Amino acid sequence: MTAVPFVTGSNPSPRVYIKTYGCQMNEYDSAKMADVLARSHGYRRTEHAEEADLLLLNTCSVREKAQEKVFSELGRWKSWKAEKPGRLIGVGGCVASQEGEDLARRAPMVDVIFGPQTLHRLPELLEQARARRAPAVDIRFPEIEKFDNLPEPRAEGPTAYVSIMEGCSRYCTFCIVPYTRGEEVSRPLDDVLAECARLVEQNVHEITLLGQNVNAYRGRIHGHTGEQGTCDLALLIDHLAQLDGLERIRFMTSHPVEFSDSLIKVYAEQPKLASFLHLPVQSGSDRILAMMKRGHTRAQYLEKIKRVREVRPDLSLSSDFIVGFPTETEDDFQATLDLVEHAQFDTAFCFLYSPRPGTPAASLRDTVSADDRQRRLQALQARLREQDDRFRQKLLGTVQRVLVERPSVRGAGQLAGRTSSNRWLNFDGPAALLGRFADVTVTEVLRNSLRGQWVQTVDAVAA
Ligand code: SAM
Ligand code: F3S
């Protein structure tokens, strides 16, 4: 790659501003875009769009609202582009993947369009756009090529995300992801272990393994004699747990069908696996689950969480729900409320169903009125908030082991750490605690956070 920075005027070090919408996979991808551009053209990331030479939008198309935001943001950027000659605009992520060349027609100010699997080609695409004075587009799904072409991972603090697979092959009828991110492809075991080891060398103590359907991970294992089978998520967690200095492992997002016995076994046996599980259920009605093609019943879901709680009684359970799926009746919705009562979630996300063009559910006749949808959303949110409050109240007076991630936004001298159950806890403590584990007693449960008192610092710990 020729290192010709896209410098405008006399600015010696070009700046890139990246705006990210959507999930943790997109956060991870944005960090990788910054790394790729730093390596190729010396770009530095800035938080101020006005000073950037390159503006990147990493998009999400899971719901219509997220997609609309892309076009309003680009509208704003259009005038900025005119202000600074040579300034470039790129759009990546799922909207780019879905719209491809159409995006260039709809938003002619865009210079580069790339998908989640081609972000490693950004430097070349920028060169192309520059040279041709026309948009450069690459939204292919070249199998796993992306990971082979990324720079060495760079830690930013004591926690890190590591993407272990791309895409999803489950094709839930409402979901756009299999079309925008492609089918499931897992990274080979050795690659994942090497990336995690590099991060741990940089004092990372907690790693979250990422994938849209992360428990479908099947990484190739290479031995001295060539290929030697595949490794599932449970085995990967066991391998990672052997890394000295890595004390906490998380993963997301998992699908109930692939939530296997081997994973329940690691919850039972591996203390480095955090006491947290995000297991989206979407609905409590068997009829709606079948229409969504989720591949399981409510009873099967409840059975899986019962089994994992038997081996991890302090597990914090989280989920996703979709309200107002086409044809959802009052009875279906009651079944969802009933499942919430049985399952006892500690946190959960509820979304209004949003028809996504090209998905099977988008062609179903939508019978749920806007009023009913809103009412159901509010009722479900209220029920989940009660469970969330109950869970947080239970923490009062307990000692929680937190990984101290950053100074707290709540005030000078305060630190913020996350519990194994994925809750933020703020407390007074010396800056020397940053990046280390500490035991903290929960002294106050506030509306959106917890406050505590530092008990002791802990050096090598498990979850
Ligand atoms: N892989 C995950 C799983 O097992 O379900 C989900 C990934 S999806 C990107 C994140 C969440 O967005 C889903 O769990 C679902 O609740 C929500 N979602 C996806 N498509 C949606 C749609 N068309 N309308 C509303 N919410 C949607
Ligand atoms: Fe989407 Fe279902 Fe996969 S929600 S990401 S198609 S598991």
Side-chain angles (χ1 to χ4, degrees):
M1 175 74 46
T2 42
V4 186
F6 299 111
V7 183
T8 54
S10 57
N11 182 1
S13 175
R15 308 280 170 100
V16 55
Y17 172 78
I18 310 177
K19 175 123 192 164
T20 311
Y21 291 116
C23 60
Q24 283 86 355
M25 305 255 331
N26 269 12
E27 297 283 349
Y28 175 88
D29 284 350
S30 291
K32 295 296 167 194
M33 288 174 203
D35 289 351
V36 164
L37 291 166
R39 179 178 66 179
S40 68
H41 293 91
Y43 271 98
R44 281 200 292 146
R45 197 165 174 177
T46 172
E47 295 307 313
H48 308 286
E50 327 76 74
E51 66 177 29
D53 303 279
L54 170 62
L55 297 158
L56 292 181
L57 206 52
N58 192 6
T59 61
C60 169
S61 58
V62 163
R63 284 167 291 277
E64 193 179 1
K65 230 185 194 154
Q67 185 153 0
E68 279 165 1
K69 283 191 202 152
V70 172
F71 291 97
S72 51
E73 190 77 48
L74 286 175
R76 262 195 300 280
W77 286 6
K78 188 177 170 189
S79 56
W80 289 354
K81 187 170 174 175
E83 277 168 23
K84 193 170 184 178
R87 193 176 245 172
L88 294 175
I89 295 181
V91 179
C94 291
V95 176
S97 169
Q98 200 184 348
E99 303 252 329
E101 307 267 354
D102 285 349
L103 191 121
R105 276 188 281 279
R106 230 177 122 182
M109 72 296 264
V110 175
D111 302 286
V112 172
I113 296 166
F114 56 103
Q117 323 274 52
T118 47
L119 66 90
H120 59 287
R121 294 206 55 233
L122 244 181
E124 282 163 76
L125 294 170
L126 288 169
E127 300 272 5
Q128 251 179 44
R130 260 276 141 118
R132 292 199 207 139
R133 293 180 180 279
V137 184
D138 187 353
I139 52 163
R140 294 169 303 130
F141 302 136
E143 276 216 356
I144 227 76
E145 177 188 299
K146 161 176 151 186
F147 294 106
D148 296 336
N149 288 284
L150 292 177
E152 282 282 292
R154 240 177 345 106
E156 284 170 21
T159 63
Y161 289 134
V162 172
S163 182
I164 62 170
M165 63 171 311
E166 281 284 349
C168 184
S169 306
R170 292 214 63 90
Y171 292 93
C172 301
T173 56
F174 54 81
C175 185
I176 195 84
V177 169
Y179 310 95
T180 56
R181 286 188 172 262
E183 296 250 334
E184 284 158 10
V185 189
S186 296
R187 293 174 69 184
L189 173 67
D190 287 349
D191 286 11
V192 175
L193 293 178
E195 179 165 342
C196 293
R198 292 290 92 72
L199 290 165
V200 173
E201 280 162 20
Q202 298 169 63
N203 295 321
V204 164
H205 298 305
E206 174 181 311
I207 287 181
T208 303
L209 303 171
L210 295 179
Q212 291 295 341
N213 182 12
V214 74
N215 45 351
Y217 175 77
R218 296 289 178 277
R220 277 195 322 273
I221 302 177
H222 286 285
H224 297 301
T225 51
E227 194 132 327
Q228 292 191 331
T230 56
C231 166
D232 68 0
L233 180 63
L235 189 56
L236 170 62
I237 292 170
D238 272 335
H239 278 294
L240 285 177
Q242 288 164 29
L243 285 176
D244 268 349
L246 180 61
E247 302 292 345
R248 257 186 202 165
I249 303 166
R250 304 181 190 272
F251 60 86
M252 72 188 313
T253 301
S254 29
H255 187 287
V257 168
E258 267 114 4
F259 195 81
S260 58
D261 288 354
S262 63
L263 267 175
I264 294 177
K265 194 158 173 275
V266 249
Y267 271 106
E269 294 173 1
Q270 186 45 261
K272 287 190 176 183
L273 180 60
S275 289
F276 177 76
L277 171 63
H278 182 67
L279 196 62
V281 63
Q282 318 296 357
S283 169
S285 151
D286 281 339
R287 191 181 73 83
I288 297 290
L289 286 172
M291 284 183 77
M292 289 176 164
K293 216 168 131 272
R294 290 290 287 177
H296 64 84
T297 61
R298 64 180 272 139
Q300 285 164 333
Y301 181 85
L302 288 169
E303 176 61 21
K304 291 220 173 168
I305 61 172
K306 179 169 153 258
R307 288 184 55 210
V308 68
R309 275 184 168 141
E310 273 163 14
V311 299
R312 252 318 158 95
D314 66 340
L315 185 89
S316 166
L317 184 68
S318 151
S319 200
D320 291 343
F321 291 89
I322 294 181
V323 172
F325 187 80
T327 79
E328 183 189 72
T329 62
E330 208 50 45
D331 282 352
D332 292 320
F333 179 64
Q334 286 304 324
T336 297
L337 290 181
D338 187 64
L339 176 122
V340 167
E341 224 34 63
H342 276 83
Q344 291 292 317
F345 297 101
D346 301 320
T347 53
F349 303 92
C350 324
F351 307 106
L352 278 181
Y353 169 69
S354 167
R356 306 315 296 129
T359 59
S363 54
L364 294 173
R365 214 168 75 80
D366 200 350
T367 50
V368 191
S369 73
D371 281 354
D372 280 346
R373 239 186 274 193
Q374 277 302 336
R375 185 178 44 74
R376 288 177 194 169
L377 181 72
Q378 280 165 18
L380 181 58
Q381 278 172 334
R383 193 66 63 87
L384 290 164
R385 210 173 308 120
E386 280 167 27
Q387 297 195 346
D388 181 271
D389 284 346
R390 218 175 303 151
F391 177 78
R392 287 164 353 108
Q393 287 298 339
K394 272 202 295 198
L395 295 177
L396 196 63
T398 63
V399 176
Q400 296 290 319
R401 182 152 296 171
V402 299
L403 175 54
V404 187
E405 290 187 32
R406 50 176 167 75
S408 166
V409 288
R410 307 266 155 186
Q414 283 196 47
L415 301 171
R418 242 173 340 139
T419 65
S420 177
S421 59
N422 214 22
R423 297 278 171 164
W424 283 102
L425 183 49
N426 298 303
F427 62 101
D428 289 325
L433 285 184
L434 284 168
R436 298 170 72 188
F437 283 91
D439 283 346
V440 178
T441 308
V442 179
T443 52
E444 238 181 307
V445 176
L446 306 169
R447 199 170 161 70
N448 293 313
S449 62
L450 302 170
R451 261 197 69 74
Q453 199 167 9
W454 173 39
V455 182
Q456 62 171 341
T457 316
V458 193
D459 276 320
V461 288

